[in-house]
Amino acid sequence: MSTEAWLLVLAGLACVAVVCVATGARLRGGARTDAWLPPELKGQRLAYVERTFRSDGDVQVVARVDRAYRNGAGVITLVELKSRTTDRVWSADIVELSAQRVALAGETGEPVAGIGWVVVQSAVGRTAHRVSLLSQDAVHDLVSRRADLLAGVALPRYPATRGLCASCAYRRRCDSTESRDT
């Protein structure tokens, strides 16, 4: 067989292999890596993945973005991925996304949406939850409060839910824990 004939055979085999791989991925469901995205984010372009941003100014916020999607108008929407036993959004998730918003906008100057998404992977599957983010001022207030707590200028407050005290790593150091225990 001539060299040209062998090249044609090899090219044909390569085409068949590509079609087989693509068909197999589609049959396994692997072709759509964004199948879990909420409808509002479908068709948007993935802008950032696992990237750390730092805002500037008097109050610096540093946050790592799980995923960020850019719509046609250039607005960024943040997505936080969580693995949990229960399908639930915590207030800490909203604080985390809000800090990401301040850090990303502060470093890049890009507009970031006032809503974000917490995607929870739990026993029931993946669920996307739309959340409203805190304002920049609210995030700066939280950063300032943390600094005051660490400096000993401010006193900690008990959480609204007693269950949080039970799982707190600092429970033994808390002066008044005994008065809250039953």
Side-chain angles (χ1 to χ4, degrees):
M1 203 184 249
S2 71
T3 304
E4 292 172 272
W6 276 112
L7 289 175
L8 286 173
V9 168
L10 288 175
L13 288 173
C15 288
V16 169
V18 168
V19 169
C20 288
V21 168
T23 302
R26 207 171 51 227
L27 290 175
R28 287 188 309 272
R32 292 283 321 241
T33 58
D34 66 347
W36 54 269
L37 280 174
E40 293 87 343
L41 295 180
K42 299 250 188 221
Q44 292 191 15
R45 198 172 90 238
L46 185 60
Y48 301 106
V49 177
E50 295 293 330
R51 180 164 165 199
T52 301
F53 294 92
R54 290 171 176 76
S55 68
D56 52 5
D58 294 339
V59 180
Q60 187 180 46
V61 177
V62 179
R64 185 165 184 84
V65 169
D66 273 359
R67 289 180 182 240
Y69 292 84
R70 182 179 288 113
N71 69 16
V75 177
I76 301 288
T77 301
L78 297 168
V79 176
E80 184 66 22
L81 305 172
K82 299 292 184 185
S83 293
R84 299 197 168 128
T85 55
T86 58
D87 182 19
R88 175 170 181 179
V89 174
W90 296 95
S91 57
D93 301 329
I94 296 169
V95 170
E96 186 175 0
L97 277 168
S98 300
Q100 292 173 15
R101 176 184 183 207
V102 170
L104 192 151
E107 181 175 317
T108 67
E110 296 180 85
V112 183
I115 62 101
W117 294 88
V118 178
V119 177
V120 179
Q121 175 72 44
S122 68
V124 298
R126 274 193 185 151
T127 308
H129 301 272
R130 181 185 168 138
V131 295
S132 294
L133 304 183
L134 302 173
S135 69
Q136 179 175 332
D137 289 340
V139 172
H140 285 174
D141 289 347
L142 288 171
V143 170
S144 296
R145 172 125 175 96
R146 179 183 180 275
D148 289 348
L149 286 167
L150 293 175
V153 176
L155 294 175
R157 294 186 297 253
Y158 287 106
T161 307
R162 287 183 58 167
L164 291 176
C165 288
S167 62
C168 179
Y170 300 99
R171 182 176 182 195
R172 300 273 182 243
R173 288 201 221 165
C174 188
D175 295 334
S176 310
T177 302
E178 298 83 25
S179 66
R180 284 184 55 106
D181 288 342
T182 53

